[in-house]
Amino acid sequence: AQSVSQHNHHVILSEAASLELGCNYSYGGTVNLFWYVQYPGQHLQLLLKYFSGDPLVKGIKGFEAEFIKSKFSFNLRKPSVQWSDTAEYFCAVGNTGGFKTIFGAGTRLFVKA
Amino acid sequence: NAGVTQTPKFQVLKTGQSMTLQCAQDMNHNSMYWYRQDPGMGLRLIYYSASEGTTDKGEVPNGYNVSRLNKREFSLRLESAAPSQTSVYFCASSELVRAVSGANVLTFGAGSRLTVL
């Protein structure tokens, strides 16, 4: 069965620090990869996605993620975080056919001003 | 453009009571989903409806039923609520953004917080 593992459940950073959130998945076939974000009091929304092609994908608000097929990983990065990046971040994997998107447990990021 | 609308936003039930969570989307999406979110467990798929007239089980379907009333509406019913069903429930709909790999991007509602005593 598919599964998604996020390495950190809670991360605390100061503004301007660099961010990397780890995500590994287990699935043998072709996958579609996503990061979703939930800002305080807001809906879950798509941050970025990877389907194929360039393994380095860019999303909104300066976030990027790198797909490393050999490591089954899709880590999220941002060079310099802001207080407004405080949120919960979810890595998600969709199987080919796409209806069963499986989510990781989430990482709560708190950025200190 | 409301997107995905869920009702109610909050509900408290006693064990054994029943209730229905309602969800409607106005984006003309074919597919709709119900997830539950629990601390430390992320979002888990309860049921989904790939298209109007079809429903399928997700990861945690036990204790729930769904109805895809029409293309816009997808309801989740708890027939006999249990404390283990205390959770935040999210409805989502999706558009197929890449037919080759069947990639669906989800649009979520605001969530419904359910407490079962």
Side-chain angles (χ1 to χ4, degrees), chain A residues 32 34 36 38 43-44 46 49 51-52 88 90 95-105, chain B residues 31 33 35 37 40 42-43 48 50 57 59 90 97-98 101-106 108-110:
Chain A
N32 302 302
F34 309 87
Y36 285 85
Q38 188 174 29
H43 299 198
L44 270 153
L46 181 70
K49 60 187 184 293
F51 301 145
S52 67
E88 189 160 18
F90 294 93
N95 60 332
T96 304
F99 297 115
K100 288 191 177 182
T101 300
I102 306 299
F103 285 76
Chain B
S31 305
Y33 311 77
Y35 283 87
Q37 182 183 21
L43 282 82
Y48 66 96
K57 295 178 180 179
E59 301 169 82
F90 287 96
V97 295
R98 190 169 185 266
S101 62
N104 278 274
V105 174
L106 299 169
F108 286 89

